[in-house]
Amino acid sequence: RKGTLAVSNFSPSQLDVILTDPKTLTKPTVNQLPFSIANNRKGTLAYNTERDVLVQSWSPLSRVLSSPSTKNELESIGKSYGKSAAQVGLRWIVQSGAAFCTQSKSQKHFEEDLNVFDFKLSNTDMDKISQLSG
């Protein structure tokens, strides 16, 4: 029986163990990682993508919006799109080639989190945001 498999927090070497094991019947298609503007380790996205594994960011805004300088920069960028800092941060994840999952007790915040597919960040803004990684 063939299905799909998601893994969480797998490093490149851990992922390769599963992907290269001939006994593995179901290969991972998703790797849930703490991928965000604040946690954007060089090569993480490319490494997973080269192996046909989608990076899904968990807690994508936790360290992003708690940093005043990062939040201010995202708010500034967001003004030109009519979007919030959170929406800009989530859009950066999507345009980078990853997915995200969020949770909220507020319906307003949940709706805001989903409203990131009606705009596209410019290459200049993508580069600016990528430089914010701490």
Side-chain angles (χ1 to χ4, degrees), residues 110-123:
F110 186 70
E111 289 171 358
E112 184 178 297
D113 289 350
L114 293 175
N115 194 14
V116 297
F117 300 102
D118 62 347
F119 75 106
K120 183 177 177 184
L121 295 166
S122 70
N123 290 339

Side-chain angles (χ1 to χ4, degrees), residues 5-21 24 26-33 43-55:
L5 175 69
V7 294
S8 185
N9 301 316
F10 270 49
S11 69
S13 60
Q14 291 170 321
L15 197 54
D16 276 345
V17 167
I18 292 175
L19 292 171
T20 59
D21 185 341
T24 302
T26 304
K27 305 288 186 190
T29 56
V30 176
N31 190 5
Q32 295 179 323
L33 298 169
T44 298
L45 193 60
Y47 183 87
N48 282 271
T49 302
E50 288 167 5
R51 285 152 180 80
D52 294 322
V53 176
L54 175 69
V55 169

Side-chain angles (χ1 to χ4, degrees), residues 90-98 119-123 126:
L90 294 174
R91 182 64 202 184
W92 177 87
I93 290 170
V94 170
Q95 271 184 241
S96 294
F119 75 106
K120 183 177 177 184
L121 295 166
S122 70
N123 290 339
M126 285 292 289

Side-chain angles (χ1 to χ4, degrees), residues 36-40 63-64 67 69-75 77 88 92 125-134:
S36 70
I37 295 164
N39 195 349
N40 177 18
R63 288 184 26 218
V64 174
S67 165
S69 61
T70 301
K71 185 176 180 181
N72 289 341
E73 183 66 31
L74 295 179
E75 285 173 346
I77 291 169
V88 171
W92 177 87
D125 287 337
M126 285 292 289
D127 291 341
K128 267 192 228 177
I129 294 166
S130 295
Q131 298 305 312
L132 297 174
S133 182

